[in-house]
Amino acid sequence: MSAILEMLQTAAEMGLIEGLTVLALFLSYSMLGVCDLSTDGCFTLGAVVGAVVALAGHPWLSILAAMLAGISSGFVTAFLQTRMGINSLLAGIIVNTALYSVNIAILGGSSLINLNKADTVFSFFRSVLGENGKSYAVLLVALIAVALATAFLVLFLKTRLGLAVRATGNNADMVKSSSINPIFTTTVGLCVSNAFTALSGCLLAQSQKGANINIGSGLVTVALASLLIGGTFIRRGGLLVKALGVVLGSIIFRLVYSLALSLDMPAYMLKAVSSIIVILAISLPYLKEKFPEFRRKIEHSPLGKKLKHKGDTNDA
Amino acid sequence: MLDLKNISKTFGKGTVNVHQVFGGLSLHIEKGDFVSIIGANGAGKSTLFNVIAGSIIPDEGLVELDGDDITMLPEHVRAKTIGRLFQDPMRGSAPGLSIEENLALAAGRGGWFSHITRADRKAFRDRLAMLDMGLEDRMNQPVGLLSGGQRQALTLMMATFNPPKLLLLDEHTAALDPATADKVMAITDKTVKENGLTCLMITHNMTTALEFGNRTLMMDRGRIIFDTCGEERSKLTVPDLLDKFRENAGKNLDNDRMLLS
Ligand SMILES: Nc1ncnc2c1ncn2[C@@H]1O[C@H](COP(=O)(O)OP(=O)(O)O)[C@@H](O)[C@H]1O
Ligand SMILES: [Mg+2]
């Protein structure tokens, strides 16, 4: 029983922490219409910056530092695609690649950092919660972070600036007609979303008491899978419901993953599974739309006619 | 009010597709003028609007609005004083945002972090009611659910919510069915008159060109080949316009897309 509860708790913790990255994609992918492929690198950036600052003895500052690092990374990605004429997917890939070097440089040439002895936000909450409650510290921090991030995001998206960010993904011409520069709104959107991604990485590293350079690899697909799962569960509703829905998607993803692990799926399958989920979630609606056309093609082919003919004679 | 001075624009310079649209076009529009613009396909009418609105920077020449040189001003900055509607009703509003949110962006009230207030909602509702399309009761619905005519009427309202110095209408009723087109045209005329707007309207409907506004321009190959207003214009009929075109352009106005009646 307790093993199951433990599994559920771990899934919830992971789901919530990575839920911040899913919220970031909710903003960049669903709202702004940009598929931000710098997500993996930015997540790792948040993890290493947060870890280095925490190790230097500033657990609270580490969160702020990680988010600022994320904002800078988002700014560069936005700059490349809005001012330098680089396609938005390519801009993300370029920044992602560059961040690999940047992240190792931040770790002083190493690809690992250990936080076992460092004070972190989590160790703070562990001591606050005491002997009995300390095992819930990660869950509590993750819940607080997701609640704050969701509240901020929902309020932000209803401000004039937030409306303009949402409209940019919808109809950039209309944003210009409203005397707002879509370059500005794209930049703001990517800065905010990358702040969330970096926060997500920072919290994951500190909750696991360490980070390595690959902590974020493949995360963009995992987060996209969670986003799309959330989207299938919550189809209607306001921004708050949708935002909570994508976090729910992240938790569901983690639950299903833990379940699969307990059924002896090897851990390394995580990324393949997330890829398959993304493929299904994006292609199924497309294929469904194409299906009638496909059926007609089959019916019109010689094989289809032959089958139909056979069917007719059978009926007779 | 609006002055275009010696505008030149060539597309595809240095390629085999080099195409000069304007070679020194000048145009003066008075404050309060409502000008209809007609001309064959490819005459440069939309390009003219692109130059005025800032979507295209001319190779040479000046664009002046109220005496200010705006030739190099970015499009979104000009949008503060220039409103614009396109033929495609989808182009003027964000489908995923609600009617209210679209209006809030167009109204542009408050700072970056302001939310829609109760007073804003009341103002939006009152303005929407004037369209007489029932939109005032659907303010929280996404704009993507509206019909083409409703979206175009909404776009017109958004473009004129803060009355612009200049309103540019590029065949804004051409994609609508005739009854809806008439309705949107009536709303347009009312809006222009009530706010005393200066307005340029490209139309492919010759009757509309003569019926609305106080001045009509005819364009061909990047030039203004006929410009009429006042008494002369009030006596003109559609056949007269066609004659004028043949006389000044040396060919017939292409009739396939033109509405002659
Ligand atoms: N951005 C562009 N690039 C290249 N050619 C263009 C561009 N915009 C317009 N043109 C060309 O300029 C000419 C005038 O186009 P346009 O102003 O759209 O005519 P219309 O009078 O039908 O609105 C056309 O031949 C068109 O192909
Ligand atoms: Mg045109």
Side-chain angles (χ1 to χ4, degrees):
Chain A
M1 190 64 208
S2 79
I4 293 182
L5 277 182
E6 216 165 90
M7 187 189 94
L8 286 179
Q9 186 181 337
T10 311
E13 289 168 359
M14 285 295 286
L16 286 168
I17 292 179
E18 287 183 0
L20 293 166
T21 303
V22 185
L23 282 173
L25 291 198
F26 177 61
L27 176 60
S28 60
Y29 183 77
S30 308
M31 298 276 146
L32 201 54
V34 174
C35 187
D36 183 0
L37 294 182
S38 71
T39 301
D40 294 5
C42 183
F43 186 88
T44 310
L45 177 71
V48 301
V49 168
V52 165
V53 176
L55 203 57
H58 308 287
W60 296 100
L61 196 62
S62 74
I63 296 198
L64 195 68
M67 290 178 79
L68 282 176
I71 290 173
S72 322
S73 163
F75 182 84
V76 173
T77 309
F79 187 81
L80 292 183
Q81 59 183 274
T82 55
R83 300 277 186 194
M84 305 296 279
I86 297 174
N87 163 290
S88 78
L89 291 175
L90 190 55
I93 294 174
I94 292 170
V95 170
N96 195 50
T97 307
L99 281 174
Y100 186 83
S101 308
V102 171
N103 291 335
I104 293 187
I106 292 171
L107 293 179
S110 156
S111 59
L112 273 174
I113 185 162
N114 190 317
L115 294 174
N116 272 327
K117 296 201 180 71
D119 277 339
T120 66
V121 187
F122 296 94
S123 62
F124 171 81
F125 273 87
R126 248 177 243 124
S127 60
V128 168
L129 289 170
E131 252 338 286
N132 294 329
K134 73 176 183 187
S135 58
Y136 295 110
V138 174
L139 193 60
L140 183 67
V141 174
L143 266 176
I144 294 174
V146 166
L148 288 178
T150 308
F152 171 82
L153 191 61
V154 170
L155 284 176
F156 170 72
L157 287 174
K158 287 183 177 166
T159 62
R160 191 160 86 86
L161 181 55
L163 289 180
V165 169
R166 285 161 61 200
T168 306
N170 243 219
N171 182 352
D173 275 342
M174 178 269 184
V175 175
K176 278 191 210 166
S177 313
S178 309
S179 311
I180 298 170
N181 191 348
I183 292 181
F184 172 64
T185 51
T186 302
T187 308
V188 169
L190 285 178
C191 286
V192 173
S193 74
N194 280 282
F196 282 13
T197 303
L199 172 64
S200 184
C202 169
L203 292 183
L204 186 68
Q206 298 195 3
S207 71
Q208 296 181 343
K209 298 185 185 158
N212 70 50
I213 194 70
N214 293 320
I215 192 171
S217 87
L219 193 75
V220 68
T221 313
V222 172
L224 211 49
S226 306
L227 181 77
L228 298 170
I229 292 173
T232 56
F233 277 92
I234 311 273
R235 286 176 186 280
R236 37 185 73 240
L239 282 172
L240 178 62
V241 175
K242 284 201 177 121
L244 290 176
V246 304
V247 177
L248 183 69
S250 177
I251 296 173
I252 292 172
F253 180 89
R254 276 292 161 185
L255 276 176
V256 172
Y257 174 67
S258 319
L259 204 68
L261 283 185
S262 68
L263 296 175
D264 285 343
M265 182 188 82
Y268 60 76
M269 289 305 288
L270 168 75
K271 279 156 196 172
V273 170
S274 63
S275 298
I276 291 168
I277 291 176
V278 172
I279 292 171
L280 290 180
I282 297 180
S283 317
L284 279 184
Y286 170 81
L287 294 177
K288 210 166 135 193
E289 195 177 304
K290 284 277 174 195
F291 182 68
E293 197 182 305
F294 176 71
R295 204 172 61 189
R296 286 218 57 181
K297 270 188 189 150
I298 295 284
E299 282 169 5
H300 272 245
S301 69
L303 179 68
K305 282 182 181 150
K306 215 184 261 171
L307 287 176
K308 187 153 190 289
H309 188 67
K310 221 176 177 179
D312 290 347
T313 46
N314 280 354
D315 285 346
Chain B
M1 189 309 124
L2 174 72
D3 267 300
L4 299 182
K5 294 181 176 162
N6 242 331
I7 299 290
S8 294
K9 181 72 201 179
T10 303
F11 287 116
K13 264 191 191 156
T15 72
V16 286
N17 292 321
V18 59
H19 175 55
Q20 186 184 56
V21 182
F22 300 125
L25 176 84
S26 293
L27 176 65
H28 174 78
I29 306 287
E30 287 293 338
K31 193 173 167 60
D33 268 354
F34 183 174
V35 183
S36 57
I37 302 174
I38 53 176
N41 252 342
K45 305 180 298 293
S46 297
T47 307
L48 174 72
F49 278 17
N50 282 334
V51 167
I52 297 172
S55 327
I56 286 177
I57 304 290
D59 301 332
E60 274 167 62
L62 293 179
V63 183
E64 289 178 359
L65 189 66
D66 272 349
D68 298 327
D69 180 358
I70 61 166
T71 319
M72 293 298 160
L73 221 51
E75 197 175 354
H76 69 274
V77 178
R78 286 189 219 194
K80 286 193 182 104
T81 47
I82 300 178
R84 190 175 188 191
L85 264 72
F86 298 93
Q87 179 174 341
D88 180 2
M90 308 301 146
R91 207 163 153 185
S93 46
L97 271 60
S98 67
I99 294 181
E100 171 181 297
E101 289 169 335
N102 270 277
L103 280 168
L105 276 178
R109 292 177 174 176
W112 283 120
F113 297 103
S114 62
H115 284 75
I116 301 173
T117 65
R118 193 178 288 216
D120 291 335
R121 283 201 182 88
K122 168 121 184 32
F124 297 161
R125 167 174 280 276
D126 292 348
R127 293 286 286 268
L128 283 169
M130 295 197 303
L131 295 179
D132 198 21
M133 288 178 161
L135 296 184
E136 65 276 16
D137 298 321
R138 302 171 61 183
M139 297 219 306
N140 286 316
Q141 287 184 15
V143 161
L145 297 178
L146 304 188
S147 71
Q150 289 170 331
R151 259 179 102 163
Q152 203 63 314
L154 178 69
T155 307
L156 181 66
M157 215 190 102
M158 287 164 58
T160 56
F161 196 91
N162 305 309
K165 282 185 185 169
L166 182 65
L167 180 63
L168 303 176
L169 308 170
D170 190 345
E171 306 204 29
H172 71 305
T173 63
L176 309 176
D177 66 80
T180 314
D182 285 347
K183 181 155 191 198
V184 170
M185 200 49 233
I187 299 172
T188 305
D189 195 44
K190 187 167 163 244
T191 309
V192 170
K193 281 184 180 142
E194 275 174 4
N195 296 292
L197 297 177
T198 310
C199 175
L200 303 185
M201 175 176 73
I202 299 171
T203 176
H204 64 292
N205 185 324
M206 307 287 256
T207 314
T208 306
L210 291 177
E211 184 181 342
F212 297 94
N214 63 338
R215 180 176 169 192
T216 297
L217 301 177
M218 191 183 275
M219 285 183 68
D220 184 54
R221 278 171 277 180
R223 291 167 306 130
I224 290 163
I225 56 168
F226 184 56
D227 180 352
T228 178
C229 59
E231 208 177 323
E232 179 194 37
R233 180 176 181 268
S234 61
K235 288 188 191 134
L236 276 180
T237 60
V238 171
D240 294 338
L241 271 186
L242 292 176
D243 284 343
K244 285 285 174 202
F245 189 87
R246 198 173 307 116
E247 215 171 277
N248 295 339
K251 61 177 180 194
N252 282 323
L253 194 49
D254 53 351
N255 285 356
D256 49 341
R257 219 169 65 89
M258 289 285 157
L259 290 180
L260 303 176
S261 53

Short mmCIF file of all heavy atoms in Angstrom, two decimals, chain B residues 147-179:
data_model
loop_
_atom_site.label_atom_id
_atom_site.label_comp_id
_atom_site.label_asym_id
_atom_site.label_seq_id
_atom_site.Cartn_x
_atom_site.Cartn_y
_atom_site.Cartn_z
N SER B 147 -19.71 35.15 -38.06
CA SER B 147 -19.74 35.05 -39.52
C SER B 147 -18.83 36.12 -40.12
O SER B 147 -18.41 37.05 -39.44
CB SER B 147 -21.17 35.25 -40.01
OG SER B 147 -21.54 36.60 -39.83
N GLY B 148 -18.57 35.99 -41.42
CA GLY B 148 -17.70 36.95 -42.10
C GLY B 148 -18.21 38.37 -41.97
O GLY B 148 -17.45 39.29 -41.69
N GLY B 149 -19.50 38.55 -42.16
CA GLY B 149 -20.09 39.89 -42.08
C GLY B 149 -19.98 40.47 -40.68
O GLY B 149 -19.63 41.64 -40.50
N GLN B 150 -20.25 39.61 -39.69
CA GLN B 150 -20.15 40.07 -38.30
C GLN B 150 -18.71 40.44 -37.98
O GLN B 150 -18.44 41.44 -37.32
CB GLN B 150 -20.62 38.97 -37.34
CG GLN B 150 -22.12 38.75 -37.39
CD GLN B 150 -22.53 37.50 -36.63
OE1 GLN B 150 -21.78 36.54 -36.52
NE2 GLN B 150 -23.76 37.49 -36.12
N ARG B 151 -17.78 39.64 -38.48
CA ARG B 151 -16.37 39.92 -38.19
C ARG B 151 -15.92 41.20 -38.85
O ARG B 151 -15.16 41.97 -38.28
CB ARG B 151 -15.49 38.75 -38.64
CG ARG B 151 -15.10 37.89 -37.46
CD ARG B 151 -14.26 36.75 -37.86
NE ARG B 151 -12.84 36.98 -37.57
CZ ARG B 151 -11.96 36.01 -37.53
NH1 ARG B 151 -12.32 34.77 -37.75
NH2 ARG B 151 -10.70 36.27 -37.27
N GLN B 152 -16.41 41.44 -40.08
CA GLN B 152 -16.01 42.66 -40.76
C GLN B 152 -16.60 43.89 -40.06
O GLN B 152 -15.93 44.90 -39.93
CB GLN B 152 -16.43 42.59 -42.24
CG GLN B 152 -15.64 43.47 -43.17
CD GLN B 152 -14.16 43.15 -43.26
OE1 GLN B 152 -13.49 42.94 -42.27
NE2 GLN B 152 -13.63 43.15 -44.47
N ALA B 153 -17.85 43.77 -39.61
CA ALA B 153 -18.47 44.88 -38.88
C ALA B 153 -17.71 45.14 -37.58
O ALA B 153 -17.46 46.29 -37.20
CB ALA B 153 -19.93 44.58 -38.59
N LEU B 154 -17.32 44.04 -36.92
CA LEU B 154 -16.55 44.18 -35.67
C LEU B 154 -15.20 44.84 -35.96
O LEU B 154 -14.77 45.74 -35.23
CB LEU B 154 -16.34 42.80 -35.04
CG LEU B 154 -15.51 42.78 -33.76
CD1 LEU B 154 -16.27 43.45 -32.62
CD2 LEU B 154 -15.14 41.35 -33.36
N THR B 155 -14.56 44.40 -37.05
CA THR B 155 -13.26 44.99 -37.40
C THR B 155 -13.40 46.49 -37.67
O THR B 155 -12.55 47.28 -37.25
CB THR B 155 -12.69 44.30 -38.66
OG1 THR B 155 -12.66 42.90 -38.45
CG2 THR B 155 -11.28 44.79 -38.94
N LEU B 156 -14.48 46.85 -38.34
CA LEU B 156 -14.72 48.28 -38.61
C LEU B 156 -14.85 49.05 -37.30
O LEU B 156 -14.27 50.13 -37.13
CB LEU B 156 -15.99 48.44 -39.45
CG LEU B 156 -16.35 49.87 -39.82
CD1 LEU B 156 -15.30 50.47 -40.74
CD2 LEU B 156 -17.72 49.93 -40.48
N MET B 157 -15.57 48.43 -36.37
CA MET B 157 -15.74 49.08 -35.07
C MET B 157 -14.41 49.20 -34.34
O MET B 157 -14.13 50.21 -33.70
CB MET B 157 -16.70 48.23 -34.25
CG MET B 157 -17.57 49.06 -33.37
SD MET B 157 -18.43 47.98 -32.28
CE MET B 157 -17.46 48.25 -30.86
N MET B 158 -13.60 48.12 -34.45
CA MET B 158 -12.30 48.15 -33.78
C MET B 158 -11.40 49.22 -34.39
O MET B 158 -10.70 49.94 -33.69
CB MET B 158 -11.64 46.77 -33.86
CG MET B 158 -12.31 45.74 -32.96
SD MET B 158 -11.89 44.03 -33.35
CE MET B 158 -10.11 44.06 -33.21
N ALA B 159 -11.44 49.31 -35.71
CA ALA B 159 -10.56 50.27 -36.40
C ALA B 159 -10.96 51.71 -36.11
O ALA B 159 -10.15 52.62 -36.23
CB ALA B 159 -10.59 50.01 -37.90
N THR B 160 -12.24 51.91 -35.75
CA THR B 160 -12.70 53.29 -35.54
C THR B 160 -13.06 53.55 -34.09
O THR B 160 -13.65 54.58 -33.77
CB THR B 160 -13.94 53.58 -36.42
OG1 THR B 160 -14.95 52.60 -36.14
CG2 THR B 160 -13.58 53.53 -37.89
N PHE B 161 -12.72 52.60 -33.19
CA PHE B 161 -13.09 52.78 -31.78
C PHE B 161 -12.51 54.08 -31.25
O PHE B 161 -13.20 54.88 -30.62
CB PHE B 161 -12.61 51.59 -30.94
CG PHE B 161 -13.28 51.53 -29.60
CD1 PHE B 161 -14.44 50.79 -29.42
CD2 PHE B 161 -12.77 52.23 -28.52
CE1 PHE B 161 -15.08 50.75 -28.19
CE2 PHE B 161 -13.40 52.19 -27.28
CZ PHE B 161 -14.55 51.45 -27.12
N ASN B 162 -11.24 54.27 -31.51
CA ASN B 162 -10.64 55.59 -31.30
C ASN B 162 -10.56 56.20 -32.70
O ASN B 162 -9.74 55.75 -33.50
CB ASN B 162 -9.24 55.48 -30.72
CG ASN B 162 -9.22 54.66 -29.44
OD1 ASN B 162 -10.00 54.92 -28.53
ND2 ASN B 162 -8.37 53.65 -29.39
N PRO B 163 -11.41 57.17 -33.02
CA PRO B 163 -11.47 57.63 -34.41
C PRO B 163 -10.09 57.93 -34.98
O PRO B 163 -9.35 58.75 -34.42
CB PRO B 163 -12.32 58.90 -34.32
CG PRO B 163 -13.16 58.68 -33.11
CD PRO B 163 -12.32 57.91 -32.15
N PRO B 164 -9.69 57.24 -36.05
CA PRO B 164 -8.36 57.48 -36.62
C PRO B 164 -8.38 58.74 -37.48
O PRO B 164 -9.44 59.22 -37.87
CB PRO B 164 -8.14 56.24 -37.50
CG PRO B 164 -9.51 55.83 -37.92
CD PRO B 164 -10.45 56.24 -36.82
N LYS B 165 -7.18 59.27 -37.77
CA LYS B 165 -7.11 60.41 -38.68
C LYS B 165 -7.51 59.98 -40.07
O LYS B 165 -8.07 60.76 -40.84
CB LYS B 165 -5.67 60.94 -38.73
CG LYS B 165 -5.28 61.77 -37.53
CD LYS B 165 -3.88 62.34 -37.76
CE LYS B 165 -3.39 63.07 -36.53
NZ LYS B 165 -1.95 63.39 -36.64
N LEU B 166 -7.17 58.72 -40.39
CA LEU B 166 -7.39 58.23 -41.75
C LEU B 166 -7.87 56.79 -41.68
O LEU B 166 -7.32 55.97 -40.94
CB LEU B 166 -6.06 58.31 -42.51
CG LEU B 166 -6.07 57.89 -43.98
CD1 LEU B 166 -6.94 58.84 -44.80
CD2 LEU B 166 -4.64 57.89 -44.52
N LEU B 167 -8.90 56.48 -42.47
CA LEU B 167 -9.41 55.11 -42.51
C LEU B 167 -9.21 54.56 -43.92
O LEU B 167 -9.60 55.20 -44.90
CB LEU B 167 -10.90 55.11 -42.14
CG LEU B 167 -11.61 53.74 -42.14
CD1 LEU B 167 -11.02 52.81 -41.09
CD2 LEU B 167 -13.12 53.93 -41.88
N LEU B 168 -8.57 53.40 -44.03
CA LEU B 168 -8.30 52.78 -45.33
C LEU B 168 -9.15 51.51 -45.46
O LEU B 168 -9.04 50.60 -44.63
CB LEU B 168 -6.82 52.41 -45.45
CG LEU B 168 -5.81 53.54 -45.28
CD1 LEU B 168 -4.38 52.99 -45.33
CD2 LEU B 168 -6.00 54.60 -46.36
N LEU B 169 -10.00 51.46 -46.47
CA LEU B 169 -10.85 50.29 -46.67
C LEU B 169 -10.48 49.65 -48.00
O LEU B 169 -10.67 50.25 -49.06
CB LEU B 169 -12.33 50.71 -46.69
CG LEU B 169 -12.80 51.55 -45.50
CD1 LEU B 169 -14.19 52.11 -45.74
CD2 LEU B 169 -12.77 50.72 -44.23
N ASP B 170 -9.93 48.43 -47.94
CA ASP B 170 -9.47 47.78 -49.17
C ASP B 170 -10.46 46.68 -49.58
O ASP B 170 -10.33 45.54 -49.14
CB ASP B 170 -8.06 47.19 -48.96
CG ASP B 170 -7.43 46.73 -50.27
OD1 ASP B 170 -8.16 46.60 -51.27
OD2 ASP B 170 -6.21 46.49 -50.28
N GLU B 171 -11.42 47.04 -50.39
CA GLU B 171 -12.46 46.10 -50.84
C GLU B 171 -13.05 45.34 -49.66
O GLU B 171 -13.20 44.12 -49.70
CB GLU B 171 -11.88 45.12 -51.87
CG GLU B 171 -11.20 45.81 -53.02
CD GLU B 171 -11.16 44.94 -54.27
OE1 GLU B 171 -12.06 44.11 -54.45
OE2 GLU B 171 -10.23 45.13 -55.08
N HIS B 172 -13.40 46.08 -48.63
CA HIS B 172 -13.75 45.41 -47.37
C HIS B 172 -15.10 44.70 -47.40
O HIS B 172 -15.44 44.01 -46.44
CB HIS B 172 -13.68 46.39 -46.21
CG HIS B 172 -14.76 47.43 -46.20
ND1 HIS B 172 -15.01 48.26 -47.25
CD2 HIS B 172 -15.67 47.75 -45.24
CE1 HIS B 172 -16.01 49.06 -46.95
NE2 HIS B 172 -16.43 48.78 -45.75
N THR B 173 -15.88 44.88 -48.48
CA THR B 173 -17.15 44.15 -48.54
C THR B 173 -17.13 43.09 -49.66
O THR B 173 -18.11 42.40 -49.88
CB THR B 173 -18.34 45.09 -48.80
OG1 THR B 173 -18.17 45.71 -50.07
CG2 THR B 173 -18.44 46.16 -47.73
N ALA B 174 -15.97 42.97 -50.34
CA ALA B 174 -15.93 42.11 -51.53
C ALA B 174 -16.11 40.63 -51.22
O ALA B 174 -16.57 39.88 -52.06
CB ALA B 174 -14.61 42.32 -52.27
N ALA B 175 -15.77 40.22 -50.00
CA ALA B 175 -15.88 38.79 -49.68
C ALA B 175 -17.22 38.44 -49.05
O ALA B 175 -17.43 37.30 -48.65
CB ALA B 175 -14.73 38.38 -48.75
N LEU B 176 -18.11 39.43 -48.95
CA LEU B 176 -19.38 39.18 -48.26
C LEU B 176 -20.50 38.96 -49.27
O LEU B 176 -20.43 39.42 -50.41
CB LEU B 176 -19.71 40.38 -47.36
CG LEU B 176 -18.59 40.83 -46.42
CD1 LEU B 176 -19.01 42.07 -45.65
CD2 LEU B 176 -18.23 39.71 -45.45
N ASP B 177 -21.57 38.28 -48.83
CA ASP B 177 -22.71 38.12 -49.74
C ASP B 177 -23.38 39.49 -49.91
O ASP B 177 -23.22 40.37 -49.07
CB ASP B 177 -23.68 37.08 -49.20
CG ASP B 177 -24.33 37.52 -47.92
OD1 ASP B 177 -25.30 38.31 -47.98
OD2 ASP B 177 -23.87 37.10 -46.84
N PRO B 178 -24.11 39.69 -51.01
CA PRO B 178 -24.60 41.04 -51.34
C PRO B 178 -25.38 41.72 -50.21
O PRO B 178 -25.14 42.90 -49.93
CB PRO B 178 -25.51 40.80 -52.54
CG PRO B 178 -24.98 39.57 -53.18
CD PRO B 178 -24.45 38.72 -52.07
N ALA B 179 -26.26 40.99 -49.54
CA ALA B 179 -27.05 41.63 -48.48
C ALA B 179 -26.16 42.07 -47.33
O ALA B 179 -26.29 43.20 -46.82
CB ALA B 179 -28.11 40.66 -47.98
#
